[in-house]
């Protein structure tokens, strides 16, 4: 059994990692020759302002008095430059947004594993191609562009990371620091001949990263006065910097200014997902080479989807994967045509390199080229474009180059995703095989389903292993001659031993079929429909939270559809009441959008009231309640009181902009550290231990709560307590054993191994209940598949200085606390129903695998549609919704696949944590006692 769990965990990790190797590979192409426009650039220098976290509507809209929050930028829009709305991509985080702006491509997603701070792959950027670059701003953003730069020509000036404090008195100081340091820099340059000569060179860039707006948005929400006042502060600073540049360079007309943002922000102060408030950002540009505004009666304009290209062009460096927005340029038609031609050649060069790389590692008879952009078509388009330039047909040149760019980008995507379908099919085959093998193992060793069926053992044939060895050799040889990466061998060869193990159990399969045929057809069809419906409800709950409400409502009716109602009316009514009460939470807004500390205080008071009732009842039972356990409960009550105090005082301190009090921070971390230790000091009696676990975890959960979610673990725990009771009733109803009083059951009770029973069909329902409760614990108060569901305010009792890994770990623990409560309750269910945790754990791991398998199949199907439609991709551009819907479906399936696979892997570790919390006994004095089921 240990070997099975070890192999199972390893296979789970392989399946989990596969989604990243299939869908999340680096889009970068290396080995191209840089292309430059033959005409001189319009600007000698570029000044780039990036207001981190600035929404487009917050900048462009007028305030309540009908005036602009950014009068200087507004004046630029009206009289001096061009403007628009730019679009970011998911994930709408600072690093990916800046990479798209400055490096001209969408971020390699593997950077998320390094907190968006390090470069997982080397990439070129505008800064690297410049003669010199000077940058000021956040230490989280600037170093990543300096680190990958060739030579020593990118200079960074950052403030201390501790300044990025969401509880600080005035976050606008981050922007003031940038503006002041830029002024000091130019003042110093007047007295430093070496520096003065550098900043008067061509192809130089000045980058000002302004983090104050993002910080105020997280801390106070975009609708707050702090956020809006920060926009005014940035506008004033930009005005001063522009005036300083014009004065320093004598108004030579050779400076281009660009003002934009890396991402927006939701109304509740978060970002990371694809809501329009996160993806729509402002773009204002003026100065050298930029078109002046034109007054028209009706205006239609295309948004600038990629800004890196225009930045590269204006400063005279090569382009990346962006499409040049020529409508922004104020230059001759010849310059626009030549620039667009260079843009097309640059992207076409990437396409050629990518095609060559893929062709070299693919067998000739298996290689399928991108037919829409053959060599002859490339030559004809380039020749025709050159001919149009010669004959001064510049509009035709721009149109033809845009067509070539779109084809080249589609071709890049085609070769980048060339192996996805092959890898996806291999993973699906392995997935189905693993589920089949685990199912056969359960049926063979842990159930009575095939009991009574013929057990005739046939002599094993050598044909089966020889066949699979031959298949493995053929697969390995096929991958070897194509010089495939080593990971391809893992995904290609893993299904071979898995399916060999499945077919080795052919006798079990035959016995299973024979056993199933003895069941009435109506019963079999009914079980199959109920099973399928349950899986679909679980899958749909990932897309629609209200499906959890529908499932919990169905759970509420369960006792009335069985004989439980006649045997245990009070327990059945309690089950119905708490199921319906828990069903309310998925219908409520996602956590963080409407914070309400009073609800957190209310949850704390309910915990204290419940503690008082439980402690009072336990004190009356002098035979089982000793002073040590009383001390433990009083300590937990004190911890709850302190948590309530910390939440309230921290909120008050932050509202006064006085930061996080040190004492509150100490108490919070001490509460977190003790939450997994104090329960081990409590009594091993079932309900006492579970209640102690609830008290300890609730103290931490209160510290991590901002609103109604503080009530969620309480309601969930009440339902879990009822579940324990009702499962014992179902066991007695089935006549398996005599009912044992729950008050006499101890987690440390050394149950005889002979008392453990085999698995029954009802245990499948218990496994489904467990998985459903786990999914409810994940999605009950928010959609964790969306990054913007995470509210940074949840961790303000622990820290307010920006730390992505620490904040992420705390928010993840908040998500896992309800998870732990469910797992601990299920430990009690297994104990009271006399079921070995190891036997049921196999079923618990198997059941959730059906969800990612369903998601993986859906994802592969969507991908197949996406690939099969590729011959017509160019004509689909007129209907972008079709592309977006397909990509959104693929992205959603990937996201949900990762969540469920993570949940399945976490089940193994959380099962061990639940056993530790429920069965381990520590004593303040004397030797500890423990028992593991």
């Amino acid at each position: 059994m240990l070997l099975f769990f070890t192999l199972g965990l390893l296979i789970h990790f392989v399946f989990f990692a596969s989604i990243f190797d299939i869908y999340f590979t680096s889009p970068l192409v290396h080995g191209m020759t840089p292309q430059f426009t033959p005409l001189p650039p319009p600007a000698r220098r570029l000044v780039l302002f990036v207001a981190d976290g600035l929404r487009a509507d917050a900048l462009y809209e007028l305030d309540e008095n009908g005036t602009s929050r950014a009068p200087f930028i507004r004046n630029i829009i009206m009289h001096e430059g061009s403007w628009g709305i730019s679009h970011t991509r998911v994930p709408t985080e600072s690093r990916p947004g800046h990479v798209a702006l400055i490096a001209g491509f969408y971020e390699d997603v593997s950077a998320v594993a390094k907190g968006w701070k390090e470069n997982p792959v080397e990439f070129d950027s505008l800064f690297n191609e410049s003669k010199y670059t000077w940058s000021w701003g956040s230490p989280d953003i600037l170093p990543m562009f300096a680190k990958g730069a060739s030579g020593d020509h990118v200079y960074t000036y950052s403030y201390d990371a501790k300044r990025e404090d969401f509880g600080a008195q005035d976050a606008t100081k981050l922007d003031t620091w940038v503006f002041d340091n830029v002024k000091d820099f130019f003042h110093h340059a007047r007295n430093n001949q070496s520096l003065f000569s550098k900043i008067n060179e061509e192809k130089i860039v000045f980058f000002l990263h302004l983090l104050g707006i993002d910080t105020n948005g997280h801390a106070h929400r975009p609708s707050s006065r702090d956020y809006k006042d920060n926009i005014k502060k940035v506008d004033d600073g930009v005005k001063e910097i522009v005036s300083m540049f014009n004065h320093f360079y004598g108004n030579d007309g050779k400076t281009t200014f660009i003002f934009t943002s890396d991402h927006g922000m939701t109304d509740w102060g978060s970002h990371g997902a694809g809501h329009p408030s996160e993806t729509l950002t402002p773009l204002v540009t003026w100065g050298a080479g930029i078109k002046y505004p034109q007054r028209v009666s009706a205006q239609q304009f295309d948004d600038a989807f990629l800004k890196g290209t225009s930045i590269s062009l204006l400063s005279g460096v090569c382009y990346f994967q962006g499409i040049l927005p020529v409508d922004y340029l104020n230059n001759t038609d010849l310059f626009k045509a030549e620039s667009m031609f260079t843009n097309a050649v640059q992207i076409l060069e990437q396409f050629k390199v990518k095609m060559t790389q893929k062709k070299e590692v693919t067998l000739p008879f298996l290689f399928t080229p991108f037919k829409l952009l053959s060599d002859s078509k490339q030559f004809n388009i380039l020749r025709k474009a050159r001919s149009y330039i010669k004959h001064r047909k510049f509009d035709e040149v721009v149109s033809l180059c845009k067509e070539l760019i779109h084809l080249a980008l589609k071709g890049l995507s085609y070769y980048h995703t060339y192996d996805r379908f092959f890898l996806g099919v291999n993973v699906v085959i392995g997935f189905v095989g693993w589920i089949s093998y685990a199912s056969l193992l359960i049926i063979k060793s842990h159930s009575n389903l095939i009991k009574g069926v013929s057990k005739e053992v046939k002599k094993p044939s050598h044909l089966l292993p020889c066949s699979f060895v031959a298949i493995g050799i053929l697969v390995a040889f096929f991958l070897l001659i194509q010089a495939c990466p080593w990971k391809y061998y893992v995904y290609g060869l893993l299904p071979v031993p898995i399916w060999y193990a499945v077919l080795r159990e052919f006798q079990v399969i035959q016995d299973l079929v024979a056993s199933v045929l003895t069941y009435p057809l109506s019963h079999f069809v009914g079980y199959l429909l109920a099973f399928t419906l349950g899986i679909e409800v679980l899958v749909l709950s990932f897309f629609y939270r209200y499906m959890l409400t529908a499932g919990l409502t169905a759970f509420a009716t369960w006792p009335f559809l069985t004989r439980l109602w006649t045997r245990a009316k009070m327990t059945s009514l309690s089950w119905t009441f708490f199921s319906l009460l828990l069903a309310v939470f998925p219908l409520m807004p996602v956590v963080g959008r409407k914070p309400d500390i009073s609800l957190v205080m209310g949850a704390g008071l309910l915990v204290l009231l419940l503690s008082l009732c439980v402690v009072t009842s336990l004190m009356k039972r002098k035979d089982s309640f000793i002073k040590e356990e009383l001390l433990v409960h009083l300590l937990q009550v004190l911890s709850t009181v302190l948590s309530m105090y910390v939440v309230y005082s921290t909120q008050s301190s932050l509202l006064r902009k006085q930061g996080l009090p040190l004492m509150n921070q100490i108490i919070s971390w001490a509460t977190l550290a003790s939450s997994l230790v104090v329960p081990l000091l409590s009594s091993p009696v079932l309900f006492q231990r579970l209640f102690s676990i609830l008290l300890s975890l609730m103290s931490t959960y209160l510290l991590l709560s901002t609103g109604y979610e503080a009530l969620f673990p309480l309601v969930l725990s009440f339902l879990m307590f009822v579940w324990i009771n009702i499962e014992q009733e179902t066991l007695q109803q089935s006549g398996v054993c005599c009912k044992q009083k729950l008050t006499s059951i101890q987690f440390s009770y050394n149950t005889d191994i002979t008392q453990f029973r085999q698995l029954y069909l009802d245990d499948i329902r218990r496994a489904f209940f467990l998985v459903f409760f786990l999914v409810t614990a994940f999605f009950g108060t928010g959609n964790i598949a969306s990054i913007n569901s995470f509210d940074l305010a949840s961790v303000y009792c622990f820290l307010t200085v920006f730390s992505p890994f620490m904040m992420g770990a705390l928010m993840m623990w908040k998500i896992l606390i309800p998870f732990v409560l469910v797992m601990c309750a299920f430990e009690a269910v297994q104990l009271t129903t006399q079921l070995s945790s190891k036997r049921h754990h196999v079923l618990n791991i198997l059941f959730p695998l059906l969800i990612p398998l369903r998601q993986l199949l859906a994802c592969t199907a969507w991908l197949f549609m996406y690939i099969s439609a590729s011959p017509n991709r160019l004509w689909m551009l007129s209907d972008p919704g079709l592309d977006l819907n397909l990509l959104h479906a693929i992205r959603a399936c990937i996201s949900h696949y990762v969540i469920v696979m993570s949940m399945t892997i976490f089940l193994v570790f959380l099962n061990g944590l639940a056993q530790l919390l429920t069965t381990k006994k520590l004593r303040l004095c004397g030797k500890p006692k423990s028992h593991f089921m």
Side-chain angles (χ1 to χ4, degrees), residues 355 358-371 414-415 418-419 421-422 474-475 477-484 488 867:
M355 181 183 68
K358 182 54 58 179
K359 193 173 183 178
E360 288 176 351
V361 296
T362 306
L363 294 175
F365 65 91
L366 293 177
F367 180 73
T368 305
F370 184 66
K371 298 179 180 178
Y414 173 80
Y415 288 117
Y418 193 84
D419 294 330
F421 190 72
F422 166 74
L474 288 175
V475 171
F477 180 73
F478 174 78
L479 297 173
L480 180 64
I481 59 178
Q482 296 194 98
C484 292
Y488 283 42
I867 294 174

Side-chain angles (χ1 to χ4, degrees), residues 318-508:
C318 61
Y319 315 130
F320 304 99
Q321 289 186 2
I323 303 174
L324 175 65
V326 291
D327 293 336
Y328 279 72
L329 303 181
N330 180 26
N331 215 309
T332 64
D333 290 338
L334 173 62
F335 181 84
K336 294 178 182 180
E338 286 285 1
S339 301
M340 203 68 195
F341 183 81
T342 305
N343 189 188
V345 172
Q346 176 75 19
I347 297 178
L348 181 63
E349 181 72 14
Q350 297 180 54
F351 167 80
K352 291 180 177 179
V353 171
K354 195 75 171 179
M355 181 183 68
T356 303
Q357 291 173 350
K358 182 54 58 179
K359 193 173 183 178
E360 288 176 351
V361 296
T362 306
L363 294 175
F365 65 91
L366 293 177
F367 180 73
T368 305
F370 184 66
K371 298 179 180 178
L372 292 180
L373 195 56
S374 60
D375 292 341
S376 59
K377 187 163 187 175
Q378 297 173 32
F379 177 79
N380 289 334
I381 292 178
L382 293 176
R383 179 180 55 81
K384 189 181 293 185
R386 268 298 167 202
S387 175
Y388 284 156
I389 293 176
K390 183 178 180 181
H391 293 87
R392 306 187 66 81
K393 297 181 178 180
F394 301 126
D395 291 339
E396 287 83 351
V397 174
V398 171
S399 177
L400 195 62
C401 288
K402 284 184 177 180
E403 178 188 351
L404 178 59
I405 288 172
H406 285 304
L407 286 172
L409 289 176
K410 293 299 176 184
L412 274 171
S413 176
Y414 173 80
Y415 288 117
H416 182 64
T417 61
Y418 193 84
D419 294 330
R420 279 187 182 176
F421 190 72
F422 166 74
L423 294 174
V425 169
N426 276 277
V427 172
V428 168
I429 292 174
F431 221 127
V432 173
W434 173 244
I435 292 177
S436 302
Y437 177 69
S439 301
L440 292 173
L441 180 66
I442 292 173
I443 294 169
K444 178 182 178 181
S445 305
H446 304 292
S447 75
N448 294 321
L449 190 61
I450 59 175
K451 187 177 181 179
V453 182
S454 173
K455 300 291 183 180
E456 180 182 354
V457 179
K458 297 182 180 180
K459 185 178 180 180
S461 171
H462 295 291
L463 179 62
L464 184 65
C466 292
S467 300
F468 275 90
V469 169
I471 292 173
I473 293 174
L474 288 175
V475 171
F477 180 73
F478 174 78
L479 297 173
L480 180 64
I481 59 178
Q482 296 194 98
C484 292
W486 67 268
K487 292 181 180 179
Y488 283 42
Y489 289 86
V490 176
Y491 304 133
L493 292 174
L494 185 60
V496 177
I498 290 178
W499 277 102
Y500 170 69
V502 171
L503 295 182
R504 278 190 62 188
E505 305 295 339
F506 185 72
Q507 184 63 47
V508 178

Side-chain angles (χ1 to χ4, degrees), residues 695-711:
L695 283 183
S696 289
L697 294 181
M698 272 302 298
S699 297
T700 302
Y701 200 84
L702 289 174
L703 295 170
L704 293 167
S705 298
T706 60
Y708 74 87
E709 80 273 19
L711 298 166

Side-chain angles (χ1 to χ4, degrees), residues 714-731:
L714 274 178
V715 178
L716 180 65
S717 296
F718 282 133
L719 183 58
M720 293 298 99
F721 283 127
V722 179
W723 186 31
I724 296 169
N725 282 277
I726 207 168
E727 285 296 353
Q728 195 182 46
E729 292 289 347
T730 60
L731 195 67

Side-chain angles (χ1 to χ4, degrees), residues 120-299:
V121 293
E122 295 301 325
F123 59 83
D124 202 0
S125 71
L126 167 72
F127 294 172
N128 189 42
E129 293 292 335
S130 66
K131 186 69 173 291
Y132 296 105
T133 292
W134 290 272
S135 55
W136 297 264
S138 169
D140 297 324
I141 298 299
L142 304 187
M144 66 180 178
F145 295 105
K147 182 178 179 180
S150 58
D152 186 22
H153 65 282
V154 178
Y155 304 97
T156 62
Y157 304 91
S158 302
Y159 40 74
D160 188 77
K162 293 182 180 179
R163 285 176 172 262
E164 299 178 11
D165 190 345
F166 298 112
Q169 185 174 2
D170 186 8
T172 61
K173 291 182 178 179
L174 298 175
D175 300 334
T176 303
W177 185 96
V178 172
F179 294 134
D180 290 343
N181 276 264
V182 174
K183 296 173 188 176
D184 293 342
F185 172 82
F186 275 89
H187 178 75
H188 177 66
R190 293 183 183 275
N191 304 315
N192 187 317
Q193 186 59 40
S194 174
L195 180 58
F196 185 83
S197 62
K198 287 182 179 180
I199 62 177
N200 279 280
E201 295 276 1
E202 293 183 343
K203 295 173 59 176
I204 61 174
V205 178
F206 300 94
F207 171 45
L208 284 70
H209 177 245
L210 309 170
L211 188 61
I213 294 176
D214 183 75
T215 305
N216 270 316
H218 284 304
H220 307 290
R221 308 292 190 265
S223 60
S224 66
R225 176 54 56 190
D226 302 85
Y227 185 87
K228 296 173 181 177
D229 288 346
N230 204 151
I231 296 176
K232 178 65 169 64
K233 180 78 70 173
V234 166
D235 182 72
D236 293 339
V238 170
K239 180 180 179 180
E240 294 176 5
I241 295 299
V242 171
S243 176
M244 182 199 67
F245 266 90
N246 290 335
H247 178 72
F248 187 90
Y249 289 105
N251 292 302
D252 62 355
K254 291 295 183 179
T255 305
T256 299
F257 299 94
I258 295 180
F259 180 87
T260 187
S261 176
D262 55 344
H263 57 76
M265 187 171 290
T266 62
D267 291 338
W268 53 96
S270 63
H271 54 82
H275 191 272
S277 62
E278 302 167 88
T279 60
L280 302 183
T281 53
L283 174 61
V284 183
T285 179
W286 67 100
I290 301 299
K291 183 183 291 185
Y292 283 86
Q294 299 176 355
R295 295 186 179 275
V296 293
S297 57
Q299 183 178 8

